[in-house]
Amino acid sequence: MSTIIPLHHSLFTSEKTTVLQNDEFTVSALTYPSGVQSLTLANSRGFVEVLPFMGQIIWDAEFDGTSLRMKNMFNQPQPASTIVETYGCFAFHSGLLASGCPAPEDTHPLHGEFPCAPMDSAELIIEDHGALTVRSHREYVMGFGHHYQASPSVTVTAASGLLTIGLKVTNLSAYAPMPLQYMCHMNYAFVPGGTMSDNLAADSFQLRRTVPAHVTPTPAWEKINDSILSGEYDANSLVGAEAFDPEIVYFADALDQQVKDAQFTLTHPDGTAFITRFSTDQFPVATRWILHNPDQTVAAFVLPGTSRPEGYLAADAAGTLIHLSPGEERTFEVETGLLSAAEAQTQAKE
């Protein structure tokens, strides 16, 4: 059994308001001075903060006193039409008609039309088995264009440092197929001295060789790239990654030819670990994005995607662009979050 509570805009005021409180969860609503509305889902270990009416961006996440979110320059979410105008979030949905960094020949914005899109409605779903979900809905329709329904969701469970990020997309067109390109873009905190691991074959991640428009190479950056290619840097370690400015990016392709369920970790020196799991049938491509400078630090140890985040035309040329038939539906699910040192040790033994 589940109970559904519609989330009306009137719930969100300048003073934090408790929407739900029981033995397992506390849910609170708030409108920031910027005007952006926020919903925080808290359990005994921490919280997840969601923007239910703005792309269902996950603005912040913290468990066991450890922030999951990248260091950034924003003290609150800002009204935005593109994600870079409010790039302080923990996670966002990159896509859906196109995704990633557009090439000069592409016509879509950075990371597509969906990351900051206004949501039509949102609801809180309380499950009997100790789970709590916030789900939003967006109908995209464009004259002489595409027509789809998208429902992003975030689920937390009692006494857990993990969350599940979901997305359902349906092509509502009566006759026309629609392109679909999607990445679950999680901006994890940079962990000094951290180590990354996965259940893929060794050297599955390869250094990006292209230079997107937002990256301006420097001699020092070019030297770092050469050092990575020559093996002087351990690609699975953040030791020395404080020099990664501009960003360093790796790609791993065709994951579905290696494993059915992929698992990635970023382990802290104290034994705690960030973890991400997903089905490679849904996400056959993984990206790793690392950046460190005085304004922003991030170690996105895995970004699950349907394709590389190099824009629509690159995905089309690579054969990784999805085409949804009229009425066809796709669902995506990513489990991610924090493991305590004890949980990480148990996980390593399994």
Side-chain angles (χ1 to χ4, degrees):
M1 289 287 294
S2 61
T3 301
I4 299 178
I5 302 174
L7 296 172
H8 301 294
H9 288 282
S10 59
L11 286 171
F12 299 82
T13 67
S14 58
E15 298 294 328
K16 184 173 286 190
T17 302
T18 299
V19 177
L20 168 74
Q21 189 163 29
N22 58 29
D23 292 341
E24 297 171 330
F25 303 106
T26 299
V27 179
S28 55
L30 174 71
T31 297
Y32 278 96
S34 64
V36 176
Q37 295 175 325
S38 156
L39 192 77
T40 298
L41 286 62
N43 64 12
S44 61
R45 292 185 60 178
F47 68 87
V48 177
E49 182 182 5
V50 179
L51 309 182
F53 297 106
M54 184 175 165
Q56 207 187 85
I57 290 170
I58 304 176
W59 182 248
D60 201 0
E62 180 181 304
F63 292 104
D64 298 343
T66 298
S67 176
L68 278 58
R69 180 176 62 168
M70 67 179 287
K71 175 188 172 184
N72 63 86
M73 298 180 287
F74 292 83
N75 59 15
Q76 63 178 315
Q78 295 292 330
S81 58
T82 60
I83 191 62
V84 291
E85 298 171 83
T86 188
Y87 215 111
C89 64
F90 166 63
F92 65 91
H93 298 280
S94 174
L96 298 172
L97 299 173
S99 176
C101 304
E105 298 80 12
D106 278 308
T107 58
H108 62 86
L110 177 68
H111 290 302
E113 83 289 348
F114 195 79
C116 301
M119 300 290 104
D120 300 324
S121 63
E123 59 207 10
L124 194 64
I125 306 170
I126 308 164
E127 304 284 356
D128 288 345
H129 57 274
L132 185 66
T133 297
V134 55
R135 182 171 61 197
S136 303
H137 303 280
R138 160 75 168 172
E139 182 179 357
Y140 175 96
V141 59
M142 188 67 65
F144 312 103
H146 297 291
H147 186 193
Y148 67 76
Q149 175 83 28
S151 298
S153 63
V154 176
T155 300
V156 295
T157 54
S160 173
L162 303 179
L163 60 142
T164 300
I165 304 171
L167 178 70
K168 181 170 71 173
V169 185
T170 306
N171 181 5
L172 297 181
S173 173
Y175 80 101
M178 67 166 275
L180 176 61
Q181 190 181 6
Y182 173 55
M183 169 182 279
C184 183
H185 204 300
M186 296 168 290
N187 303 318
Y188 264 94
F190 186 94
V191 178
T195 56
M196 295 168 282
S197 61
D198 54 62
N199 62 344
L200 305 179
D203 301 323
S204 290
F205 279 101
Q206 296 296 314
L207 183 68
R208 180 177 67 188
R209 306 303 294 273
T210 58
V211 181
H214 67 278
V215 171
T216 302
T218 65
W221 182 80
E222 291 174 342
K223 184 177 180 180
I224 288 171
N225 278 264
D226 291 339
S227 296
I228 291 171
L229 291 172
S230 66
E232 295 176 47
Y233 273 95
D234 180 356
N236 294 315
S237 173
L238 292 179
V239 173
E242 289 85 356
F244 290 4
D245 182 33
E247 64 190 26
I248 293 295
V249 174
Y250 301 84
F251 297 131
D253 299 313
L255 306 186
D256 52 333
Q257 297 180 20
Q258 292 196 44
V259 294
K260 179 175 176 58
D261 297 300
Q263 178 172 296
F264 303 80
T265 57
L266 170 53
T267 302
H268 299 225
D270 66 3
T272 60
F274 297 145
I275 188 167
T276 297
R277 306 183 184 104
F278 56 86
S279 165
T280 60
D281 289 338
Q282 297 177 2
F283 297 104
V285 176
T287 299
R288 180 183 291 169
W289 170 52
I290 304 170
L291 172 68
H292 194 288
N293 63 43
D295 288 331
Q296 301 173 108
T297 62
V298 60
F301 59 100
V302 63
L303 302 173
T306 61
S307 63
R308 290 187 177 191
E310 296 184 300
Y312 178 96
L313 293 175
D316 192 28
T320 53
L321 187 66
I322 296 170
H323 296 275
L324 290 187
S325 302
E328 186 179 355
E329 177 182 290
R330 285 289 181 101
T331 59
F332 302 93
E333 187 173 281
V334 175
E335 184 182 36
T336 195
L338 178 77
L339 299 178
S340 68
E343 290 170 332
Q345 192 173 41
T346 300
Q347 177 71 45
K349 294 177 181 177
E350 293 178 353

